[in-house]
Amino acid sequence: MSAARTARTARTVLAAALVAGLAGGVLAAPAFAAAPPGPSHTATQQALDAAVAEGVPGAVAKARDGKERWTGTAGVRKGEDRFRVGSITKTFTATVLLQLQAEGRIDLDDPVEKWLPGVVRGNGNDGRKVTVRRLLNHTSGIYSYTADPSFQQRVFGPAFLEHRYDTWTPEQLVAIAMEHAPDFEPGASWEYSNTNFVLAGMVIEKVTGHSYEREVERRVIKPLKLRATSAPGTDSRMPQPNSGAYSKLRRDTTGPTYDVTDLNPSIAGAAGEIVSDANDLQTFYRALLKGRLLPPAEMKEMTDTVATGRGTDVRYGLGLFQQKLSCGKEVWGHSGGIHGSSSQAVVTRDGEHSLAANFNADWTGDSQALIDAEFCGTAPKKQ
């Protein structure tokens, strides 16, 4: 796979999966100078600046390499801003389920039917054939509810402004997916599906008797002291500090830009609702890859990857992407997109070199370029 194809894969498969095809135009915004980058982060700062030049209102990136820490910003973003992380939530959800397996409370090879009887059923869907593991590595074949045309029209188009505060239950989201036949037989292929992780959140609740949000807070957020991280449930407000989130709410590059900062994140649930910042995301992924959250056996299962069908450079574990960069380096993590927000969080396998970043726009900007810049020193291509 070429470097360009790798960039498109990481960006499209993850971020676009939740934003469901949002695209738009350029929003002019003042660019505020960031602190001068150190020698090893020059390309990363250039990638931030390039994103703002392309129309992203604001961008932030934080990196750690051993004990060295670096923060870069461009446009209206500030270093401590919080943002919606979208599908990065999936790694949190997978971590909780792996912890539950380590405690002997669930086996990831259990059929979904065991924990959610009758939920995955109809139009060829069969929860007896889908295991919890296949939810976490996207080999279930279950249709992604975010691909449903009616859902897209209501949630991702201009109708969002009317429905932004609507509450969606996990059962409602799964029911949308059940209106469609599976994409393939369980285990026969790979396809990114947000329905998989909504179901994973429902399994967590069935096993523990508590909401997925409560378990993430108890098992991950509090132990790691992630003070900027929260699973907001149905709370539409964004905590401070933040620099807003902006969208075109349409597929083309024209038209007005809308402030989409406030929204009811139940549209994403355990697949993409978490709010965090670039510092906390690094802390989480570094702790995870260093084995602080999972026993060795479960960590091995999480990093046991499957092919995505998009070349050999990108593979998927349990809520975790493995990506081989153009310079030969390997990073693990996830990216995420939700209204007005595009994020990346990756770390080397030893947990020593990490990057977390966010653009507060969903229609422009290449967040993959930040990864290539930070880990390979690759300057962004001039437009």
Side-chain angles (χ1 to χ4, degrees), residues 3-202:
R5 178 70 182 277
T6 299
R8 286 197 301 273
T9 298
R11 189 168 62 253
T12 303
V13 171
L14 297 167
L18 194 51
V19 245
L22 285 175
V26 176
L27 173 67
F32 301 129
S40 61
H41 305 288
T42 299
T44 314
Q45 182 62 54
Q46 290 173 342
L48 291 171
D49 295 336
V52 171
E54 292 169 12
V56 173
V60 59
K62 284 178 177 282
R64 300 183 201 170
D65 194 354
K67 295 182 179 180
E68 179 202 4
R69 296 179 180 233
W70 175 82
T71 298
T73 61
V76 298
R77 269 290 190 226
K78 297 179 180 178
E80 305 308 315
D81 276 355
R82 300 181 185 186
F83 44 83
R84 301 188 190 279
V85 306
S87 288
I88 290 172
T89 301
K90 290 178 172 65
T91 313
F92 287 79
T93 302
T95 299
V96 170
L97 276 168
L98 282 157
Q99 288 179 348
L100 291 171
Q101 177 176 267
E103 295 165 8
R105 301 174 67 180
I106 189 174
D107 189 316
L108 296 189
D109 292 317
D110 289 341
V112 173
E113 181 74 11
K114 174 179 177 179
W115 297 103
L116 304 175
V119 173
V120 178
R121 187 172 297 178
N123 292 308
N125 294 285
D126 189 344
R128 296 170 299 179
K129 298 180 179 179
V130 177
T131 64
V132 176
R133 186 183 307 277
R134 295 205 185 283
L135 298 179
L136 298 185
N137 67 12
H138 293 299
T139 61
S140 73
I142 295 173
Y143 181 89
S144 182
Y145 70 91
T146 51
D148 178 81
S150 296
F151 183 84
Q152 287 190 1
Q153 183 177 19
R154 180 174 177 177
V155 174
F156 297 114
F160 164 82
L161 299 174
E162 178 184 353
H163 295 287
R164 67 195 301 167
Y165 300 115
D166 292 355
T167 293
W168 295 79
T169 67
E171 291 78 10
Q172 287 176 312
L173 299 178
V174 173
I176 292 171
M178 294 301 104
E179 294 174 0
H180 299 265
D183 294 326
F184 49 82
E185 283 294 311
S189 187
W190 186 92
E191 188 65 38
Y192 193 88
S193 173
N194 288 298
T195 310
N196 287 329
F197 277 78
V198 172
L199 285 164
M202 294 171 68

